[in-house]
Amino acid sequence: MTRIITAKPLTRANFAEFGEVIDTETDSHYPINGGRCERFHALARAEATGPNGHVLINLFKGTPYEFPLKLSMVERHPFGSQAFVPLSPRPFVVVVCHDSPDGPAEPLAFVTKPGQGVNYPRNLWHGVLTPIGEPQDFVVVDRGGDGSNVEEFHFSHPYEIHLPKGFQP
Ligand SMILES: NC(=O)N[C@@H](O)C(=O)O
Ligand code: NI
């Protein structure tokens, strides 16, 4: 029996139990550079632990996925956080799970607003980067260092992730 999950619009409120949202819809901002720039401050915190742990800034060129998406695996990074900030104003899909004694709990799926990014705290179960409909580039801030920083969980029965009814990118 296929377990269907329909993505919902991502908001700070509905994502707060999982991680941070990186966008400008926040009060955490102030003018700098003589008022010629607005700093949206401390939207998320990068974490890099473990042997020789350090923060990395990367660029990811993501290939789009077809929907409904077959989700058979989620992963997590035991030594560090991972932030995804799109370089184009286009939504992408975020899949996350709370942990449970038996591994990841049922996934929740979200669709970001155009330009919105997310930060996954250390050890948050998540689906891999999932662009919609066309290739999309991202700045990704995560952890470098020694040791394996990825743990995968393969579901015994895959989920089917659907975009919201009437979704338009
Ligand atoms: N593997 C890698 O760097 N990316 C994944 O962790 C991901 O979440 O997309
Ligand atoms: Ni990851």
Side-chain angles (χ1 to χ4, degrees):
M1 181 266 279
T2 303
R3 297 177 290 184
I4 291 176
I5 291 174
T6 300
K8 52 188 176 186
L10 187 138
T11 67
R12 253 184 188 77
N14 67 20
F15 195 67
E17 64 189 273
F18 295 105
E20 294 93 0
V21 174
I22 300 171
D23 68 11
T24 55
E25 293 180 25
T26 170
D27 294 336
S28 176
H29 62 89
Y30 51 86
I32 59 172
N33 303 348
R36 299 180 69 88
C37 179
E38 194 71 12
R39 178 179 171 128
F40 288 81
H41 180 66
L43 302 180
R45 181 168 295 197
E47 195 179 4
T49 68
N52 186 29
H54 52 277
V55 175
L56 293 175
I57 299 175
N58 317 275
L59 291 175
F60 281 27
K61 295 183 77 62
T63 299
Y65 287 76
E66 295 300 315
F67 286 84
L69 171 73
K70 179 182 168 193
L71 179 79
S72 54
M73 184 277 285
V74 289
E75 60 168 38
R76 65 181 178 181
H77 306 297
F79 288 138
S81 58
Q82 191 171 47
F84 294 88
V85 182
L87 293 178
S88 56
R90 186 176 178 87
F92 65 103
V93 165
V94 168
V95 175
V96 289
C97 312
H98 284 305
D99 196 19
S100 84
D102 303 320
E106 177 162 285
L108 279 89
F110 300 93
V111 177
T112 64
K113 290 190 183 82
Q116 206 171 40
V118 291
N119 182 56
Y120 302 143
R122 187 167 65 85
N123 266 331
L124 177 70
W125 291 110
H126 58 277
V128 296
L129 177 61
T130 308
I132 307 168
E134 65 182 45
Q136 189 172 18
D137 297 349
F138 291 76
V139 173
V140 175
V141 180
D142 60 9
R143 180 263 187 194
D146 302 334
S148 169
N149 187 32
V150 61
E151 180 186 352
E152 293 185 352
F153 182 93
H154 295 263
F155 294 111
S156 52
H157 303 288
Y159 290 88
E160 198 173 270
I161 309 291
H162 288 239
L163 293 170
K165 194 170 174 58
F167 170 79
Q168 291 294 330

